[in-house]
Each structure stands twice: as C-alpha cells, then as structure tokens.
mmCIF file of all heavy atoms in Angstrom:
data_model
loop_
_atom_site.group_PDB
_atom_site.id
_atom_site.type_symbol
_atom_site.label_atom_id
_atom_site.label_comp_id
_atom_site.label_asym_id
_atom_site.label_seq_id
_atom_site.Cartn_x
_atom_site.Cartn_y
_atom_site.Cartn_z
ATOM 1 N N VAL A 1 5.019 4.264 1.062
ATOM 2 C CA VAL A 1 4.897 4.859 2.376
ATOM 3 C C VAL A 1 5.988 4.270 3.228
ATOM 4 O O VAL A 1 6.188 3.063 3.182
ATOM 5 C CB VAL A 1 3.537 4.662 2.927
ATOM 6 C CG1 VAL A 1 3.460 5.148 4.385
ATOM 7 C CG2 VAL A 1 2.396 5.267 2.160
ATOM 8 N N SER A 2 6.646 5.158 3.979
ATOM 9 C CA SER A 2 7.671 4.599 4.959
ATOM 10 C C SER A 2 7.015 4.454 6.296
ATOM 11 O O SER A 2 6.401 5.421 6.826
ATOM 12 C CB SER A 2 8.806 5.529 5.053
ATOM 13 O OG SER A 2 9.484 5.670 3.805
ATOM 14 N N GLY A 3 7.230 3.245 6.900
ATOM 15 C CA GLY A 3 6.694 3.036 8.261
ATOM 16 C C GLY A 3 7.859 2.965 9.225
ATOM 17 O O GLY A 3 9.000 3.299 8.833
ATOM 18 N N THR A 4 7.610 2.642 10.464
ATOM 19 C CA THR A 4 8.651 2.699 11.420
ATOM 20 C C THR A 4 9.544 1.502 11.248
ATOM 21 O O THR A 4 10.788 1.550 11.497
ATOM 22 C CB THR A 4 8.096 2.675 12.870
ATOM 23 O OG1 THR A 4 7.179 1.568 12.960
ATOM 24 C CG2 THR A 4 7.374 3.926 13.225
ATOM 25 N N ASP A 5 9.065 0.349 10.855
ATOM 26 C CA ASP A 5 9.819 -0.907 10.640
ATOM 27 C C ASP A 5 9.970 -1.322 9.192
ATOM 28 O O ASP A 5 10.972 -1.962 8.852
ATOM 29 C CB ASP A 5 9.216 -2.040 11.451
ATOM 30 C CG ASP A 5 9.262 -1.820 12.909
ATOM 31 O OD1 ASP A 5 10.254 -1.147 13.409
ATOM 32 O OD2 ASP A 5 8.312 -2.205 13.631
ATOM 33 N N ASN A 6 9.033 -0.958 8.381
ATOM 34 C CA ASN A 6 9.018 -1.367 6.949
ATOM 35 C C ASN A 6 8.671 -0.263 6.068
ATOM 36 O O ASN A 6 8.201 0.835 6.499
ATOM 37 C CB ASN A 6 7.998 -2.456 6.767
ATOM 38 C CG ASN A 6 8.299 -3.774 7.531
ATOM 39 O OD1 ASN A 6 9.423 -4.309 7.289
ATOM 40 N ND2 ASN A 6 7.481 -4.203 8.347
ATOM 41 N N GLN A 7 8.864 -0.477 4.756
ATOM 42 C CA GLN A 7 8.278 0.428 3.745
ATOM 43 C C GLN A 7 7.228 -0.322 2.994
ATOM 44 O O GLN A 7 7.275 -1.598 2.846
ATOM 45 C CB GLN A 7 9.396 0.926 2.863
ATOM 46 C CG GLN A 7 10.304 1.910 3.544
ATOM 47 C CD GLN A 7 11.261 2.559 2.556
ATOM 48 O OE1 GLN A 7 11.720 1.928 1.590
ATOM 49 N NE2 GLN A 7 11.580 3.790 2.796
ATOM 50 N N TYR A 8 6.295 0.387 2.403
ATOM 51 C CA TYR A 8 5.179 -0.265 1.728
ATOM 52 C C TYR A 8 4.945 0.321 0.346
ATOM 53 O O TYR A 8 5.157 1.501 0.110
ATOM 54 C CB TYR A 8 3.912 -0.032 2.541
ATOM 55 C CG TYR A 8 4.044 -0.424 4.017
ATOM 56 C CD1 TYR A 8 4.437 0.468 4.933
ATOM 57 C CD2 TYR A 8 3.698 -1.731 4.394
ATOM 58 C CE1 TYR A 8 4.614 0.127 6.279
ATOM 59 C CE2 TYR A 8 3.825 -2.110 5.680
ATOM 60 C CZ TYR A 8 4.302 -1.169 6.640
ATOM 61 O OH TYR A 8 4.418 -1.581 7.957
ATOM 62 N N ILE A 9 4.481 -0.528 -0.542
ATOM 63 C CA ILE A 9 3.955 -0.097 -1.824
ATOM 64 C C ILE A 9 2.450 -0.344 -1.798
ATOM 65 O O ILE A 9 2.050 -1.460 -1.569
ATOM 66 C CB ILE A 9 4.565 -0.892 -3.028
ATOM 67 C CG1 ILE A 9 6.124 -0.688 -3.092
ATOM 68 C CG2 ILE A 9 3.944 -0.452 -4.302
ATOM 69 C CD1 ILE A 9 6.775 -1.564 -4.094
ATOM 70 N N TYR A 10 1.675 0.674 -1.965
ATOM 71 C CA TYR A 10 0.281 0.592 -1.987
ATOM 72 C C TYR A 10 -0.287 0.706 -3.396
ATOM 73 O O TYR A 10 0.268 1.479 -4.184
ATOM 74 C CB TYR A 10 -0.384 1.660 -1.094
ATOM 75 C CG TYR A 10 -0.141 1.492 0.384
ATOM 76 C CD1 TYR A 10 0.042 2.619 1.183
ATOM 77 C CD2 TYR A 10 -0.062 0.248 0.989
ATOM 78 C CE1 TYR A 10 0.257 2.484 2.533
ATOM 79 C CE2 TYR A 10 0.137 0.139 2.314
ATOM 80 C CZ TYR A 10 0.321 1.305 3.105
ATOM 81 O OH TYR A 10 0.528 1.132 4.414
ATOM 82 N N ARG A 11 -1.338 0.002 -3.733
ATOM 83 C CA ARG A 11 -1.970 0.049 -5.038
ATOM 84 C C ARG A 11 -3.420 0.350 -4.865
ATOM 85 O O ARG A 11 -4.168 -0.233 -4.144
ATOM 86 C CB ARG A 11 -1.801 -1.257 -5.759
ATOM 87 C CG ARG A 11 -2.349 -1.198 -7.197
ATOM 88 C CD ARG A 11 -2.310 -2.525 -7.852
ATOM 89 N NE ARG A 11 -3.401 -3.370 -7.394
ATOM 90 C CZ ARG A 11 -3.394 -4.616 -7.276
ATOM 91 N NH1 ARG A 11 -2.285 -5.339 -7.598
ATOM 92 N NH2 ARG A 11 -4.434 -5.321 -6.872
ATOM 93 N N LEU A 12 -3.910 1.407 -5.598
ATOM 94 C CA LEU A 12 -5.295 1.683 -5.756
ATOM 95 C C LEU A 12 -5.742 1.210 -7.061
ATOM 96 O O LEU A 12 -5.090 1.463 -8.077
ATOM 97 C CB LEU A 12 -5.533 3.214 -5.686
ATOM 98 C CG LEU A 12 -5.114 3.920 -4.430
ATOM 99 C CD1 LEU A 12 -5.426 5.377 -4.517
ATOM 100 C CD2 LEU A 12 -5.837 3.342 -3.199
ATOM 101 N N ASP A 13 -6.828 0.456 -7.135
ATOM 102 C CA ASP A 13 -7.273 -0.169 -8.390
ATOM 103 C C ASP A 13 -8.149 0.767 -9.250
ATOM 104 O O ASP A 13 -8.452 0.386 -10.333
ATOM 105 C CB ASP A 13 -8.011 -1.477 -8.143
ATOM 106 C CG ASP A 13 -7.068 -2.559 -7.632
ATOM 107 O OD1 ASP A 13 -5.854 -2.437 -7.865
ATOM 108 O OD2 ASP A 13 -7.539 -3.544 -7.068
ATOM 109 N N SER A 14 -8.393 1.948 -8.803
ATOM 110 C CA SER A 14 -9.114 2.950 -9.611
ATOM 111 C C SER A 14 -8.638 4.295 -9.240
ATOM 112 O O SER A 14 -8.088 4.489 -8.191
ATOM 113 C CB SER A 14 -10.634 2.793 -9.380
ATOM 114 O OG SER A 14 -10.974 3.154 -8.120
ATOM 115 N N ASN A 15 -8.886 5.230 -10.117
ATOM 116 C CA ASN A 15 -8.389 6.630 -9.837
ATOM 117 C C ASN A 15 -9.233 7.377 -8.802
ATOM 118 O O ASN A 15 -8.931 8.500 -8.531
ATOM 119 C CB ASN A 15 -8.235 7.430 -11.194
ATOM 120 C CG ASN A 15 -9.589 7.532 -11.830
ATOM 121 O OD1 ASN A 15 -10.616 7.160 -11.311
ATOM 122 N ND2 ASN A 15 -9.593 8.032 -13.080
ATOM 123 N N ASN A 16 -10.258 6.702 -8.307
ATOM 124 C CA ASN A 16 -11.070 7.305 -7.233
ATOM 125 C C ASN A 16 -11.059 6.480 -6.006
ATOM 126 O O ASN A 16 -12.069 6.455 -5.227
ATOM 127 C CB ASN A 16 -12.479 7.636 -7.715
ATOM 128 C CG ASN A 16 -13.196 6.427 -8.130
ATOM 129 O OD1 ASN A 16 -12.648 5.395 -8.187
ATOM 130 N ND2 ASN A 16 -14.497 6.643 -8.487
ATOM 131 N N GLY A 17 -9.961 5.723 -5.811
ATOM 132 C CA GLY A 17 -9.857 4.813 -4.642
ATOM 133 C C GLY A 17 -9.639 5.504 -3.326
ATOM 134 O O GLY A 17 -9.410 6.716 -3.274
ATOM 135 N N ASP A 18 -9.656 4.742 -2.304
ATOM 136 C CA ASP A 18 -9.465 5.276 -0.913
ATOM 137 C C ASP A 18 -7.991 5.251 -0.502
ATOM 138 O O ASP A 18 -7.466 4.096 -0.417
ATOM 139 C CB ASP A 18 -10.286 4.427 0.056
ATOM 140 C CG ASP A 18 -10.234 4.886 1.472
ATOM 141 O OD1 ASP A 18 -9.552 5.825 1.802
ATOM 142 O OD2 ASP A 18 -10.998 4.319 2.305
ATOM 143 N N TRP A 19 -7.372 6.315 -0.339
ATOM 144 C CA TRP A 19 -5.925 6.377 0.011
ATOM 145 C C TRP A 19 -5.646 5.676 1.373
ATOM 146 O O TRP A 19 -4.559 5.245 1.557
ATOM 147 C CB TRP A 19 -5.448 7.809 0.013
ATOM 148 C CG TRP A 19 -5.325 8.434 -1.327
ATOM 149 C CD1 TRP A 19 -6.327 8.854 -2.099
ATOM 150 C CD2 TRP A 19 -4.079 8.676 -1.971
ATOM 151 N NE1 TRP A 19 -5.817 9.333 -3.277
ATOM 152 C CE2 TRP A 19 -4.440 9.266 -3.255
ATOM 153 C CE3 TRP A 19 -2.782 8.505 -1.705
ATOM 154 C CZ2 TRP A 19 -3.527 9.628 -4.208
ATOM 155 C CZ3 TRP A 19 -1.864 8.965 -2.680
ATOM 156 C CH2 TRP A 19 -2.226 9.493 -3.865
ATOM 157 N N ILE A 20 -6.575 5.760 2.221
ATOM 158 C CA ILE A 20 -6.427 5.229 3.623
ATOM 159 C C ILE A 20 -6.510 3.696 3.549
ATOM 160 O O ILE A 20 -5.759 3.020 4.308
ATOM 161 C CB ILE A 20 -7.416 5.833 4.552
ATOM 162 C CG1 ILE A 20 -7.177 7.320 4.695
ATOM 163 C CG2 ILE A 20 -7.365 5.174 5.983
ATOM 164 C CD1 ILE A 20 -8.216 8.073 5.444
ATOM 165 N N THR A 21 -7.373 3.120 2.695
ATOM 166 C CA THR A 21 -7.507 1.707 2.637
ATOM 167 C C THR A 21 -7.158 1.276 1.163
ATOM 168 O O THR A 21 -8.136 1.160 0.373
ATOM 169 C CB THR A 21 -8.916 1.266 3.018
ATOM 170 O OG1 THR A 21 -9.259 1.895 4.248
ATOM 171 C CG2 THR A 21 -9.074 -0.243 3.123
ATOM 172 N N PRO A 22 -5.897 1.071 0.815
ATOM 173 C CA PRO A 22 -5.603 0.743 -0.526
ATOM 174 C C PRO A 22 -6.061 -0.664 -0.844
ATOM 175 O O PRO A 22 -6.406 -1.509 0.010
ATOM 176 C CB PRO A 22 -4.063 0.743 -0.527
ATOM 177 C CG PRO A 22 -3.641 0.567 0.898
ATOM 178 C CD PRO A 22 -4.750 1.216 1.684
ATOM 179 N N ASP A 23 -6.191 -0.999 -2.187
ATOM 180 C CA ASP A 23 -6.696 -2.286 -2.627
ATOM 181 C C ASP A 23 -5.675 -3.381 -2.433
ATOM 182 O O ASP A 23 -6.038 -4.553 -2.292
ATOM 183 C CB ASP A 23 -7.125 -2.176 -4.093
ATOM 184 C CG ASP A 23 -8.275 -1.230 -4.315
ATOM 185 O OD1 ASP A 23 -9.293 -1.461 -3.656
ATOM 186 O OD2 ASP A 23 -8.064 -0.135 -5.002
ATOM 187 N N HIS A 24 -4.366 -3.054 -2.521
ATOM 188 C CA HIS A 24 -3.402 -4.064 -2.289
ATOM 189 C C HIS A 24 -2.144 -3.377 -1.645
ATOM 190 O O HIS A 24 -1.826 -2.227 -1.876
ATOM 191 C CB HIS A 24 -2.995 -4.644 -3.648
ATOM 192 C CG HIS A 24 -2.202 -5.953 -3.430
ATOM 193 N ND1 HIS A 24 -2.770 -7.150 -3.113
ATOM 194 C CD2 HIS A 24 -0.874 -6.211 -3.497
ATOM 195 C CE1 HIS A 24 -1.904 -8.081 -3.000
ATOM 196 N NE2 HIS A 24 -0.774 -7.521 -3.190
ATOM 197 N N THR A 25 -1.465 -4.167 -0.858
ATOM 198 C CA THR A 25 -0.201 -3.692 -0.155
ATOM 199 C C THR A 25 0.901 -4.697 -0.308
ATOM 200 O O THR A 25 0.797 -5.895 -0.139
ATOM 201 C CB THR A 25 -0.471 -3.523 1.401
ATOM 202 O OG1 THR A 25 -1.566 -2.666 1.583
ATOM 203 C CG2 THR A 25 0.743 -3.012 2.086
ATOM 204 N N TYR A 26 2.086 -4.167 -0.691
ATOM 205 C CA TYR A 26 3.352 -4.960 -0.720
ATOM 206 C C TYR A 26 4.219 -4.404 0.393
ATOM 207 O O TYR A 26 4.395 -3.181 0.503
ATOM 208 C CB TYR A 26 4.054 -4.848 -2.084
ATOM 209 C CG TYR A 26 3.211 -5.314 -3.251
ATOM 210 C CD1 TYR A 26 2.611 -4.399 -4.112
ATOM 211 C CD2 TYR A 26 2.975 -6.685 -3.378
ATOM 212 C CE1 TYR A 26 1.878 -4.828 -5.193
ATOM 213 C CE2 TYR A 26 2.174 -7.163 -4.481
ATOM 214 C CZ TYR A 26 1.665 -6.165 -5.392
ATOM 215 O OH TYR A 26 0.917 -6.641 -6.386
ATOM 216 N N THR A 27 4.792 -5.258 1.255
ATOM 217 C CA THR A 27 5.560 -4.850 2.320
ATOM 218 C C THR A 27 6.998 -5.327 2.209
ATOM 219 O O THR A 27 7.224 -6.470 1.910
ATOM 220 C CB THR A 27 4.954 -5.423 3.669
ATOM 221 O OG1 THR A 27 3.588 -5.009 3.703
ATOM 222 C CG2 THR A 27 5.722 -4.906 4.876
ATOM 223 N N THR A 28 7.978 -4.467 2.513
ATOM 224 C CA THR A 28 9.347 -4.897 2.519
ATOM 225 C C THR A 28 9.572 -6.027 3.548
ATOM 226 O O THR A 28 8.919 -6.047 4.545
ATOM 227 C CB THR A 28 10.322 -3.798 2.848
ATOM 228 O OG1 THR A 28 9.992 -3.179 4.071
ATOM 229 C CG2 THR A 28 10.403 -2.697 1.779
ATOM 230 N N GLY A 29 10.387 -7.021 3.214
ATOM 231 C CA GLY A 29 10.673 -8.119 4.090
ATOM 232 C C GLY A 29 9.712 -9.288 3.865
ATOM 233 O O GLY A 29 9.886 -10.319 4.492
ATOM 234 N N THR A 30 8.724 -9.161 2.996
ATOM 235 C CA THR A 30 7.759 -10.265 2.701
ATOM 236 C C THR A 30 7.662 -10.498 1.229
ATOM 237 O O THR A 30 7.914 -9.649 0.379
ATOM 238 C CB THR A 30 6.368 -9.877 3.274
ATOM 239 O OG1 THR A 30 5.934 -8.744 2.589
ATOM 240 C CG2 THR A 30 6.451 -9.541 4.760
ATOM 241 N N LEU A 31 7.248 -11.719 0.900
ATOM 242 C CA LEU A 31 7.007 -12.171 -0.460
ATOM 243 C C LEU A 31 8.005 -11.584 -1.430
ATOM 244 O O LEU A 31 9.199 -11.902 -1.288
ATOM 245 C CB LEU A 31 5.586 -11.774 -0.862
ATOM 246 C CG LEU A 31 4.522 -12.382 -0.025
ATOM 247 C CD1 LEU A 31 3.151 -11.820 -0.305
ATOM 248 C CD2 LEU A 31 4.450 -13.901 -0.130
#
C-alpha cells in the first residue's frame, strides 16, 4: 500500500484475515 509519506508491506496470517487490520506491517524507512 502506498501512503503519503511511506509505502507499506502488509501481511495477513490467514486467507480469511482482516484487510483493514493486517497481522504484520513493514514500513519503508524502518528496520
């Protein structure tokens, strides 16, 4: 997902996960 300041990689841990609240987020510029 592209945001205004960063881009994100979201991970859902199951195929019926919640797209609005992912299980894990990786953000550009961090870690």
Side-chain angles (χ1 to χ4, degrees):
V1 174
S2 296
T4 54
D5 296 325
N6 294 303
Q7 289 188 327
Y8 307 90
I9 299 172
Y10 292 143
R11 184 186 78 212
L12 300 178
D13 287 341
S14 67
N15 57 9
N16 60 356
D18 182 356
W19 287 72
I20 296 171
T21 310
D23 297 301
H24 196 78
T25 302
Y26 300 107
T27 306
T28 55
T30 63
L31 299 172

